[in-house]
Amino acid sequence: MATVDLETTKDQARKLLDSRIESVTELVLARKHVDELREQLAAAEREDKKAYVRATKDGWSEDELKKLGLEAGGMAKRRSRRNATESNTATEPARDTLATDS
């Protein structure tokens, strides 16, 4: 039977753990980046909404802005996404959560 060297075994175990820690570190950094981008998008959408409202207060009609390719940006997109989600959930059958818990 071969003898097992404790230090060699520890080194091998550390290498395995280091690679696992590396992948989790990359995941955490990617998630932070996604969160930062979501925050930037939310801020940009708020600015877009303010600018759109400012344009309408300055006398531009919604039809005129639409003809210029400047529809009500994020507001229209959010409504259509929400409506699509609502219609999908309305057609899905209700799930009995109690039956799966027992």
Side-chain angles (χ1 to χ4, degrees), residues 5 7-9 18 26-27 31 37 40 42 55-56 61-62 70 81 86 89 91 95-100:
D5 180 49
E7 290 307 311
T8 302
T9 304
D18 285 346
E26 290 174 12
L27 178 58
R31 296 279 170 95
L37 291 174
Q40 289 177 11
T56 59
S61 72
E62 288 185 19
L70 300 170
R81 260 193 241 137
E86 288 170 358
T89 56
T91 58
R95 294 183 183 155
D96 186 4
T97 56
L98 295 176
T100 58

Side-chain angles (χ1 to χ4, degrees), residues 81-95:
R81 260 193 241 137
R82 189 179 314 131
N83 290 343
T85 303
E86 288 170 358
S87 65
N88 285 345
T89 56
T91 58
E92 289 180 11
R95 294 183 183 155

Side-chain angles (χ1 to χ4, degrees), residues 12-76:
Q12 290 171 341
R14 276 190 197 98
K15 286 178 185 174
L16 290 172
L17 288 175
D18 285 346
S19 73
R20 294 179 74 196
I21 290 170
E22 219 174 284
S23 65
V24 167
T25 301
E26 290 174 12
L27 178 58
V28 169
L29 293 173
R31 296 279 170 95
K32 283 180 68 173
H33 188 233
V34 167
D35 288 343
E36 291 167 1
L37 291 174
R38 282 189 179 129
E39 289 173 16
Q40 289 177 11
L41 177 60
E45 286 177 336
R46 285 190 299 273
E47 288 302 312
D48 176 72
K49 184 176 179 179
K50 287 178 190 176
Y52 186 85
V53 169
R54 205 169 24 246
T56 59
K57 286 183 179 181
D58 282 345
W60 290 97
S61 72
E62 288 185 19
D63 285 339
E64 290 171 326
L65 292 171
K66 188 175 183 177
K67 286 177 186 175
L68 294 170
L70 300 170
E71 295 181 38
M75 295 183 294

